[in-house]
Amino acid sequence: MRVLVVYYSTYGHTHRMAEAIAEGAREVEGAEVEMCRVPETLPEEVLQKMGALEAQKAFAHVPVCTVEKLSEADAIIFGTPTRFGNMCGQMRQFLDAASNLWVEGTLVGKAGSVFTSSATQHGGQESTILSFHLTLLHLGMVIVGLPYAFQGQMRIDEITGGSPYGASTIAGGQGERMPSENELEAARFQGKHVATIASKLSS
Ligand SMILES: Cc1cc2nc3c(=O)[nH]c(=O)nc-3n(C[C@H](O)[C@H](O)[C@H](O)COP(=O)(O)O)c2cc1C
């Protein structure tokens, strides 16, 4: 049973969450878990101005994803930073290039799930995940979220991401905050939860 964690990250927050998602998925017996990054689409000069070039070196070892990779997976967990309350353009472009999977119904009945990162606490984490779900529904995927069985999303003693829709982290206006232990725990839970459901779906 193959679980693919597909993500884009500019500064490393979504990457760190992707690692935790993969860790959780690996806990499920029989799960083969792979991580991959969607291709960068911004010109180097823009990335330079954004301060992304240096940051992205930290996860340059993660292979770049192909559309074919999606078709081989039994479950796909997508990670994207919030861009104006939506998925990032890099992810959008990657998915738009996957229209053959829609035509052929390749992902129909497979588990799909989403996690995210945003600068601010109320800057669109839920809208990013929920609007991403529209694409998964068009592809025929079975949407998996982050159930309240992960009790850490009830916390009010500290600022935290995480909602029934999926794990998330709050990066801060300058990207100064890395995912907290609670947010990483949410990501591990989601990874394990998706892999457990995928294992049932594929058996
Ligand atoms: C073009 C652009 C739009 C963004 N829009 C939002 C937004 O709507 N809400 C928000 O809280 N953060 C927004 N951000 C901040 C990113 O979500 C933040 O940098 C990202 O979550 C960090 O994750 P990463 O390190 O994986 O790239 C935006 C950033 C950029 C560059």
Side-chain angles (χ1 to χ4, degrees):
M1 188 267 294
R2 282 177 280 199
V3 179
L4 191 64
V5 184
V6 185
Y7 69 98
Y8 173 80
S9 187
T10 306
Y11 303 109
H13 302 81
T14 315
H15 166 70
R16 182 68 195 94
M17 292 290 279
E19 286 181 326
I21 291 267
E23 272 168 45
R26 284 193 189 101
E27 286 178 32
V28 176
E29 205 185 320
E32 286 171 31
V33 184
E34 268 185 73
M35 287 171 60
C36 64
R37 298 178 290 128
V38 302
E40 182 56 82
T41 56
L42 289 175
E44 207 165 295
E45 67 209 74
V46 175
L47 292 169
Q48 177 78 48
K49 280 186 194 151
M50 291 171 78
L53 287 180
E54 199 52 37
Q56 287 183 333
K57 282 183 188 161
F59 39 94
H61 60 282
V62 179
V64 173
C65 206
T66 59
V67 170
E68 289 65 42
K69 250 320 184 218
L70 298 183
S71 58
E72 291 163 8
D74 295 296
I76 309 173
I77 312 177
F78 298 89
T80 174
T82 289
R83 296 281 187 261
F84 309 117
N86 268 283
M87 71 172 79
C88 63
Q90 290 84 349
M91 182 63 78
R92 182 75 269 156
Q93 183 144 341
F94 180 70
L95 290 169
D96 287 357
S99 59
N100 62 315
L101 302 184
W102 167 71
V103 172
E104 290 157 19
T106 315
L107 302 181
V108 174
K110 295 184 177 186
S113 196
V114 183
F115 62 99
T116 192
S117 164
S118 71
T120 61
Q121 194 179 356
H122 302 292
Q125 300 196 335
E126 296 183 5
S127 60
T128 297
I129 296 177
L130 289 169
S131 55
F132 203 129
H133 286 171
L134 299 179
T135 300
L136 302 191
L137 287 169
H138 278 253
L139 291 167
M141 300 192 87
V142 178
I143 291 174
V144 181
L146 176 69
Y148 279 105
F150 173 68
Q151 281 280 299
Q153 66 185 288
M154 303 287 287
R155 291 183 73 156
I156 52 170
D157 60 327
E158 65 174 43
I159 290 177
T160 188
S163 73
Y165 316 116
S168 55
T169 184
I170 300 153
Q174 306 303 316
E176 69 276 23
R177 180 181 181 275
M178 283 309 279
S180 67
E181 190 41 50
N182 193 52
E183 291 166 344
L184 293 172
E185 200 48 50
R188 284 183 211 108
F189 191 104
Q190 186 173 348
K192 187 174 180 181
H193 182 54
V194 172
T196 304
I197 289 172
S199 149
K200 289 178 186 165
L201 287 175
S202 62
S203 68

